[in-house]
Amino acid sequence: MDSAEEKRTTGPVRPTSRDVARLAGVSHTAVSFVFNGRAEGNLSPATQERIRQAAEQLGYRPDPVARGLRRRRTAVIGLVTDEIASSPFAGRLLRGAMETAWGSGHLVLTVDSGGDPAKEDAAVAELLDRRVDGIVYAAMSLRRVRVPEGLHRTHAVLANCLPEDGSLPAVVPAERAGGRTAARLLLDAGHRRVAVVGGLDDIASAERLRGFRDALRAEGVTVPKEWVVRTGGEISGGHEGALRLLGTGPAERRPTGVFCYNDRVAAGVLHAATRLGIAVPEDLSVIGYDDQEHMAAFLAPPLTTVALPHRAMGEAAARLLLDAIDTGRTPPATVRRIACPVVTRASVGPAPAR
């Protein structure tokens, strides 16, 4: 076999730390010190620089698997999600987690279970077999979740969900505070006749409504029972609820402000207002929730909304996990709530004089 054929068969030879040592004129141990973070106090700055230059010249990169075995770490964390493919917010949470992990020298292996508990258990088992340093389990809607089997065998943090058994730390949106923020926006604009449209039988709906009522109650304002219209979380539900609220009776008996369960519901309310000849925000102010990408900013008028902090949740969950990995201590099973910021656009205006 000639040399060209041999190269085609075996592929390029990866440079080793011993190659770096030979080129730099140092011992193999010296190279190990540099790439294992033990050079300070053992090698002069000039020697360290010579080793790094030799490594760069050869295209040498330390073997992460070998380093991980020595340190009993792999510099990889797992991220298991329930419905990542179908969520408009998945990318934000993933980017937050991945960039935080990357900043600490970790890669992220992501597995989408499709909401299947058996697949979740299998995903966790597979990640554990690959010796990941820890796992983030993320849900795409705030809810209580069954903790996947095996998750307690490693460092683990939940994102955008709460453990049914209260056994793990969780990072979730501050939904109740978000509801208070929405009410404050309407109150500060002079609105006292306000309604709520949309919502599901879930934690987010309950917390948002509770916070909304908290802020109104502090100002002596109440929402009439018939003005809390639970019609789901889709555009059709918003349209239906708005027609029910706004389609009958004189203007002076209608709400002047509407807080919507999410941006899709708000889109339905805006469609209904247009159909009824009600101007937004001159006659009716509308607030959404989520700041849904490719939607909220492109409605007519652009929607003022309370943003779900998916990126910040991903960052916080990853940081909490990395801290646990670095210290070797399991964080307490507490709930960290991330603020939901307001995104001000054009759908909220002063309350009309009636």
Side-chain angles (χ1 to χ4, degrees):
M1 180 183 295
D2 62 29
S3 60
E5 185 177 352
E6 184 177 359
K7 286 182 180 178
R8 285 196 300 272
T9 302
T10 61
V13 178
R14 179 174 176 167
T16 68
S17 58
R18 295 190 184 278
D19 296 328
V20 174
R22 278 193 292 271
L23 182 59
V26 299
S27 69
H28 179 244
T29 300
V31 174
S32 297
F33 279 164
V34 168
F35 291 103
N36 288 329
R38 298 169 56 197
E40 293 304 317
N42 289 308
L43 299 173
S44 70
T47 301
Q48 294 180 47
E49 181 60 24
R50 193 162 74 251
I51 291 170
R52 291 194 179 93
Q53 287 179 357
E56 184 176 354
Q57 182 178 334
L58 291 172
Y60 168 76
R61 293 181 62 194
D63 184 341
V65 174
R67 285 171 56 188
L69 290 173
R70 285 193 296 271
R71 299 165 57 202
R72 295 184 179 275
R73 295 185 190 175
T74 59
V76 177
I77 63 174
L79 196 155
V80 179
T81 72
D82 56 358
E83 297 174 277
I84 186 172
S86 61
S87 168
F89 308 110
R92 298 181 191 176
L93 193 151
L94 282 175
R95 282 195 299 272
M98 293 176 77
E99 290 182 9
T100 299
W102 183 259
S104 293
H106 281 69
L107 295 178
V108 179
L109 288 179
T110 303
V111 184
D112 174 18
S113 71
D116 183 335
K119 287 182 180 178
E120 289 178 352
D121 292 345
V124 170
E126 181 67 23
L127 290 170
L128 292 175
D129 285 346
R130 292 174 182 269
R131 299 179 182 273
V132 296
D133 294 335
I135 297 174
V136 173
Y137 176 84
M140 293 304 120
S141 60
L142 180 60
R143 59 188 176 87
R144 294 198 176 275
V145 298
R146 159 195 167 273
V147 176
E149 189 175 318
L151 207 58
H152 294 105
R153 290 167 48 200
T154 187
H155 296 296
V157 176
L158 304 189
N160 202 33
C161 55
L162 297 163
E164 287 180 342
D165 58 5
S167 62
L168 292 172
V171 178
V172 301
E175 298 280 18
R176 188 169 182 174
R180 287 196 293 267
T181 297
R184 195 73 260 162
L185 282 172
L186 292 174
L187 289 167
D188 289 348
H191 295 272
R192 295 299 183 271
R193 297 172 61 82
V194 294
V196 177
V197 175
L200 305 166
D201 184 19
D202 63 0
I203 296 173
S205 290
E207 288 293 288
R208 292 172 193 180
L209 180 59
R210 188 174 294 121
F212 190 73
R213 283 178 159 155
D214 286 346
L216 295 177
R217 192 179 303 113
E219 297 293 330
V221 177
T222 58
V223 181
K225 184 178 179 180
E226 62 273 19
W227 283 6
V228 178
V229 184
R230 289 300 200 196
T231 51
E234 299 304 323
I235 292 174
S236 58
H239 190 268
E240 174 195 339
L243 291 179
R244 199 185 306 175
L245 276 173
L246 308 171
T248 59
E252 60 271 14
R253 298 184 63 183
R254 295 195 306 244
T256 64
V258 175
F259 173 42
C260 301
Y261 168 68
N262 62 21
D263 295 344
R264 295 190 297 278
V265 169
V269 171
L270 292 177
H271 290 328
T274 298
R275 176 177 169 182
L276 295 169
I278 297 172
V280 177
E282 292 80 6
D283 299 321
L284 179 72
S285 288
V286 179
I287 297 177
Y289 209 108
D290 289 350
D291 193 29
Q292 185 165 333
E293 200 170 6
H294 309 308
M295 172 182 273
F298 300 99
L299 294 171
L303 184 66
T304 292
T305 187
V306 179
L308 278 175
H310 279 92
R311 185 186 184 97
M313 281 193 290
E315 292 171 350
R319 174 47 53 204
L320 191 60
L321 183 66
L322 291 166
D323 287 347
I325 292 166
D326 286 343
T327 62
R329 293 194 297 269
T330 301
T334 55
V335 178
R336 180 178 175 186
R337 302 185 190 278
I338 306 296
C340 300
V342 173
V343 181
T344 302
R345 296 192 179 98
S347 65
V348 173
R354 291 180 183 171

